[in-house]
Amino acid sequence: MNGAIRDHILKSRYLQPGEKSFSDICSRVASAIGKDEAEREQFLHMMEDLLFLPNSPALMNAGTRNPQLSACFVIPVGPTIPEIFRALREGAIIQVNDGGTGYSFSEIPPCGTPIKEGGGISPGPVRIMEIFDTATRVIREGGRRRGANMGVLDIAHPDILSFITAKKEEGVLENFNISVMIPDRYMQALTEGSHDEILTIHPISGEVISVREVFSAIVEGIHRNGEPGVLFADTINAANPTPALGSMRATNPCGEEPLLPYESCILGSINLPLFLQNQSVAWDKLDEITRLAVRFLDNAIDQTTHPLPEIAEATRRTRKIGLGVMGLHDTLLLAGIPYDSEEARTFAEEVMGFITATAIDESKCCAAELGVFPAWEGSIWHEPIRNAALTTIAPTGTISLIAGVSPGIEPVYSFVSIRRHTAGREFEMIHPVFKRALDEEIARCGYTESAAEVKRREVIDHIRATGTLRNIDWLHHSFRRLYRSAGDISPDDHLRMQAAFQRHTHAAIAKTINLRSDTIMDEITHAIISAWTLGLKGVTCYRIGSRRDTVYRPHGCS
Ligand code: ADP
């Protein structure tokens, strides 16, 4: 890990007055979350040793006067002007508390139609989102991080086409990720070729919108600049652990947490590479840390200040937690397994299957001690359990930098990258596992010391320029096979890895399906259909080079 980057991040965002080091942060967080001395000690070591890190708000705020610990929220937006502005107010409160919010704007009447209750003419979802976006920008100015929102619209909303194209121009709605919520019947229409079917007729313009048109707009949008994302309504709700409490119509900003209205979720990620011993997984250690992490996140629900009473009530009712992993690709590299291989997917299923099974077991132990989550009756759980949902895969955009590992379950975006920080400083980051392996590979080729230095620079400059090392012929083919980065991996292999994790994850997966810059529209349609067929809850694609802003940022967050 480049220590300078970590120091910079800690200093600019995480250190509280009087704190000097990462250990100070861990002590503050452990003291706030642990229930007794023994637990505090265990939590401290787990974080100090970088085996597990909670999401940023927990690192920033635990043990302060305002311990808001949660990264993920979903706020309902009603159809009337007072309800819309109530959601705006609630979102603002969450933002000043460092959370990210998802909203479904589907109940807002189509643009130009009368609002039934309370009067007025509806500006439509897109204009309303512009207000939310401006509010976020103003609120976050000068803050520790820019804001993050998710805007969701049901595919059958009459304003769907203007929603899909709302982010056509770069810089518009920049604090929003947008996603279209699609029920199975429209995916079936797409796959069966019956998508000339009429989806909706706009009540004001009279415009007749077919399923085909909407999918074309989605695919064009993704091709243009990676938006909108797609969410699969029926897959999400088939996995709803508390169907009696209603359905899930939105997710948090990066998509890993479909939630009920007013629910929030605190995330935490296990740092996988540290569980590799002699190229195999240290299962006992993984068992221990998974159990501790469940306790940590469950305690945190009672330690956090919920920004609104409705959030306190909804969150405590289901006690969802979001335990996941980071550093998957680094782990695979250390084990010598190419990301886009069957072996990698088997590894992924084994590890995530183990984490989820262990987390469930620990949550059952917690229930025996502390009681079940209040909405347990009528939930999908037959045996007493403390948390309605336990696992997720977060992007880990910042905490993976603190841990010095590859983010979440993403393949490394580039083995050499440049990070620019607000202060104008630039860092050349060379992936540490890659750096060591490259030195070994150059030594294997038998270059003299000075020639080796030239060769090393040649590789690094080549990657800086092209993002890949696949064309450097003198590197052994097995080396090139292993060190494939995000753009070298086929969309199908990206999707298959996401599916391997989804099979063992309660909530959803934050992942970007990277597409080559010459990807054509049909390949994007194919990726959306595959994602649905594979049982994913949603899919986010990005065609490499399709945004001016080339610095990689997971799903619009920072
Ligand atoms: P981190 O690594 O900082 O803990 P992640 O990149 O894993 O965070 O993102 C997890 C979730 O945190 C996101 O899905 C989103 O809900 C929230 N989040 C991320 N970045 C921001 C931000 N800049 N402002 C508000 N919320 C954010």
Side-chain angles (χ1 to χ4, degrees):
M1 167 68 191
N2 187 328
I5 294 176
R6 180 169 139 172
D7 290 351
H8 179 81
I9 293 171
L10 293 180
K11 214 158 121 192
S12 59
R13 296 186 188 171
Y14 296 85
L15 291 177
Q16 286 294 328
E19 291 177 347
K20 293 199 169 50
S21 65
F22 179 61
S23 287
D24 293 343
I25 296 175
C26 297
S27 300
R28 166 172 51 78
V29 178
S31 306
I33 310 285
K35 281 190 175 140
D36 53 38
E37 233 3 87
E39 212 176 52
R40 287 184 196 119
E41 200 55 23
Q42 288 172 315
F43 289 169
L44 173 64
H45 290 308
M46 163 169 93
M47 288 184 285
E48 251 188 338
D49 296 347
L50 296 170
L51 294 165
F52 163 90
L53 287 179
N55 57 208
S56 289
L59 288 174
M60 291 168 174
N61 301 333
T64 67
R65 272 192 308 201
N66 178 25
Q68 197 300 109
L69 311 177
S70 187
C72 311
F73 296 82
V74 164
I75 291 292
V77 186
T80 65
I81 294 294
E83 287 168 305
I84 291 167
F85 280 82
R86 174 186 165 144
L88 180 68
R89 172 185 173 275
E90 293 172 339
I93 293 171
I94 291 168
Q95 262 153 29
V96 290
N97 282 282
D98 297 312
T101 314
Y103 311 88
S104 169
F105 292 101
S106 304
E107 291 198 14
I108 298 177
C111 176
T113 59
I115 299 174
K116 286 194 189 90
E117 282 166 46
I121 298 294
S122 175
V126 176
R127 298 303 307 279
I128 294 297
M129 283 170 65
E130 288 168 8
I131 301 175
F132 279 58
D133 186 62
T134 305
T136 302
R137 194 174 57 244
V138 173
I139 290 165
R140 300 303 296 177
E141 261 161 25
R144 286 184 289 196
R145 2 189 239 176
R146 63 181 217 158
N149 300 299
M150 170 67 90
V152 178
L153 200 67
D154 291 349
I155 189 172
H157 192 288
D159 286 358
I160 191 68
L161 290 175
S162 49
F163 174 81
I164 292 169
T165 49
K167 291 191 69 177
K168 209 169 169 176
E169 306 297 331
E170 262 184 70
V172 177
L173 294 178
E174 61 180 354
N175 297 293
F176 265 98
N177 293 323
I178 59 170
S179 283
V180 180
M181 187 65 96
I182 309 180
D184 283 354
R185 53 181 289 234
Y186 298 118
M187 287 308 299
Q188 272 147 10
L190 179 67
T191 52
E192 289 160 9
S194 58
H195 51 311
D196 280 331
E197 158 186 354
I198 294 174
L199 182 70
T200 179
I201 300 173
H202 199 283
I204 297 297
S205 65
E207 189 185 8
V208 179
I209 304 169
S210 68
V211 177
R212 179 192 296 276
E213 251 175 296
V214 175
F215 275 110
S216 298
I218 292 173
V219 168
E220 267 170 43
I222 292 172
H223 189 268
R224 185 172 45 238
N225 57 9
E227 292 210 68
V230 162
L231 295 168
F232 301 116
D234 292 304
T235 314
I236 286 175
N237 282 293
N240 181 355
T242 56
L245 300 183
S247 61
M248 302 196 270
R249 301 187 68 183
T251 71
N252 72 319
C254 300
E256 70 273 22
E257 279 292 334
L259 293 169
L260 295 169
Y262 288 119
E263 270 185 334
S264 68
C265 189
I266 304 169
L267 312 176
S269 299
I270 290 174
N271 183 3
L272 269 191
L274 297 183
F275 292 81
L276 209 59
Q277 267 164 14
N278 303 325
Q279 304 221 316
S280 53
V281 176
W283 296 107
D284 287 353
K285 186 170 159 188
L286 189 56
D287 180 280
E288 183 199 334
I289 296 302
T290 302
R291 288 176 191 280
L292 265 184
V294 168
R295 297 236 167 210
F296 180 103
L297 294 171
D298 185 65
N299 287 4
I301 298 171
D302 301 316
Q303 301 302 332
T304 186
T305 45
H306 297 281
L308 298 162
E310 292 84 350
I311 292 173
E313 196 189 321
T315 305
R316 291 190 191 128
R317 199 167 50 185
T318 53
R319 302 191 68 85
K320 290 176 182 171
I321 60 170
L323 177 62
V325 298
M326 57 183 159
L328 170 75
H329 197 192
D330 286 5
T331 313
L332 293 171
L333 294 174
L334 291 166
I337 306 171
Y339 186 95
D340 48 347
S341 66
E342 200 51 49
E343 201 185 346
R345 294 187 282 272
T346 304
F347 178 89
E349 295 219 27
E350 270 173 22
V351 167
M352 202 58 208
F354 180 87
I355 290 174
T356 296
T358 309
I360 290 173
D361 192 59
E362 187 60 19
S363 181
K364 287 180 178 169
C365 297
C366 291
E369 252 173 70
L370 305 161
V372 293
F373 63 93
W376 174 70
E377 265 186 50
S379 77
I380 57 160
W381 295 99
H382 300 303
E383 286 178 55
I385 192 161
R386 180 88 174 137
N387 314 91
L390 292 144
T391 46
T392 192
I393 300 292
T396 71
T398 312
I399 60 167
S400 66
L401 288 174
I402 296 175
V405 297
S406 55
I409 63 160
E410 295 288 8
V412 171
Y413 193 68
S414 171
F415 288 104
V416 181
S417 58
I418 306 299
R419 289 223 158 229
R420 289 182 195 90
H421 279 285
T422 31
R425 291 184 66 184
E426 231 186 44
F427 303 93
E428 181 181 77
M429 285 171 69
I430 303 174
H431 187 275
V433 182
F434 168 73
K435 192 166 185 254
R436 270 200 310 277
L438 179 63
D439 286 345
E440 280 163 24
E441 174 67 7
I442 289 172
R444 194 192 58 78
C445 294
Y447 290 107
T448 61
E449 211 169 295
S450 57
E453 188 44 46
V454 173
K455 285 291 179 194
R456 191 178 298 113
R457 198 63 238 173
E458 183 191 310
V459 173
I460 289 166
D461 287 346
H462 185 90
I463 298 175
R464 272 185 75 157
T466 66
T468 175
L469 48 75
R470 66 171 173 263
N471 303 324
I472 309 178
D473 295 340
W474 58 268
L475 292 169
H476 196 275
H477 72 86
S478 62
F479 183 88
R480 284 184 279 153
R481 171 80 184 91
L482 184 61
Y483 287 94
R484 283 186 182 169
S485 50
D488 299 325
I489 291 165
S490 75
D492 280 342
D493 281 312
H494 276 279
L495 288 165
R496 282 196 277 256
M497 183 58 89
Q498 188 171 340
F501 272 91
Q502 185 62 76
R503 279 193 275 281
H504 303 280
T505 300
H506 293 144
I509 316 272
K511 165 135 183 61
T512 302
I513 308 305
N514 288 104
L515 308 168
R516 291 182 327 274
S517 60
D518 60 355
T519 296
I520 59 169
M521 307 274 188
D522 281 353
E523 292 172 291
I524 296 175
T525 307
H526 171 81
I528 294 173
I529 294 174
S530 298
W532 176 65
T533 317
L534 284 165
L536 301 184
K537 291 180 178 169
V539 62
T540 305
C541 300
Y542 173 69
R543 190 171 61 84
I544 291 174
S546 66
R547 278 187 205 158
R548 264 201 313 268
D549 180 359
T550 50
V551 177
Y552 176 67
R553 197 185 280 135
H555 314 280
C557 297
S558 70

